[in-house]
Amino acid sequence: RYPTNETVRVGVSGAEMRDMALYASRFVEKYAPQTVVWVGGANDFYASQEPKDIVEYFRAGAAAIPNSTRIIYMGTKPELVSVPFYGGYLEYNQLMKAHAAGTPNVVYVNNWDDMQADGMYHWDGLHLSQEGYDLWNCKVNALLRPELSLADARRLAMNMSEVCPIANRAPATRASRLR
């Protein structure tokens, strides 16, 4: 699903951000990636973590990654089963966006606005459907382009509709009204 056969998928399913922070240096040492796509944060809310604490764990993990390695951080998305956490998700997303803006190698990807459309999630309201993965993969692929400057990546990551037409489908929902 990603643009090169050099893509390595590593991760810890169900992990919290503090776990990912511990693994970050090992993954980077082993694979020496040019770019890391980092997905995390949502599981922490189920474990009653505070948004500021989750960001601190991310900072610790990102500090283990050289500044020459770009980090594409995928912001939380409004899963249908996560409505009780929407307030925390939004606070967390804002803290992560601010952190990314002040960090020389981090790109924050806005998933809140365009991952709300009908059909983005499976019946369980948590996992992405094929349409959801199509949008997710479109975003990642667009941001993995090596010619994309950090400034252009940051601009694009806030509104992917110019490169991912499916991103235009998001209706005004309860999640968008909470912003």
Side-chain angles (χ1 to χ4, degrees):
R1 294 183 186 198
Y2 297 122
T4 73
N5 60 0
E6 298 171 8
T7 302
V8 178
R9 183 175 182 252
V10 296
V12 183
S13 182
E16 295 172 23
M17 193 64 76
R18 68 176 145 216
D19 304 318
M20 295 168 63
L22 293 172
Y23 288 112
S25 63
R26 287 189 233 167
F27 291 152
V28 170
E29 284 175 23
K30 182 173 182 175
Y31 298 107
Q34 293 177 328
T35 305
V36 171
V37 178
W38 192 310
V39 181
N43 290 340
D44 298 78
F45 284 91
Y46 285 93
S48 301
Q49 297 290 321
E50 291 295 321
K52 65 180 178 42
D53 297 329
I54 304 167
V55 172
E56 287 306 314
Y57 290 127
F58 173 81
R59 286 180 198 217
I65 298 172
N67 282 343
S68 59
T69 301
R70 184 172 292 177
I71 301 170
I72 299 171
Y73 179 76
M74 303 297 284
T76 59
K77 57 195 182 307
E79 300 104 348
L80 304 174
V81 298
S82 300
V83 172
F85 302 116
Y86 281 6
Y89 277 15
L90 290 169
E91 179 184 348
Y92 172 64
N93 283 343
Q94 288 302 313
L95 291 169
M96 287 299 293
K97 181 179 172 186
H99 173 68
T103 307
N105 62 330
V106 178
V107 175
Y108 168 82
V109 181
N110 173 15
N111 288 313
W112 194 263
D113 295 334
D114 54 14
M115 300 291 297
Q116 299 179 36
D118 290 339
M120 286 288 163
Y121 300 93
H122 275 294
W123 61 268
D124 64 3
L126 177 64
H127 297 97
L128 292 175
S129 65
Q130 184 59 54
E131 186 176 356
Y133 274 114
D134 289 346
L135 177 55
W136 186 272
N137 291 332
C138 181
K139 289 178 172 200
V140 171
N141 287 331
L143 293 168
L144 284 176
R145 295 183 318 211
E147 74 277 5
L148 198 61
S149 71
L150 182 65
D152 286 343
R154 285 178 170 168
R155 179 192 55 77
L156 183 61
M158 293 311 297
N159 180 356
M160 300 295 289
S161 61
E162 67 185 72
V163 294
C164 301
I166 195 172
N168 292 319
R169 281 193 0 99
T173 63
R174 182 171 190 262
S176 62
R177 289 191 301 270
L178 287 173
R179 267 191 324 123

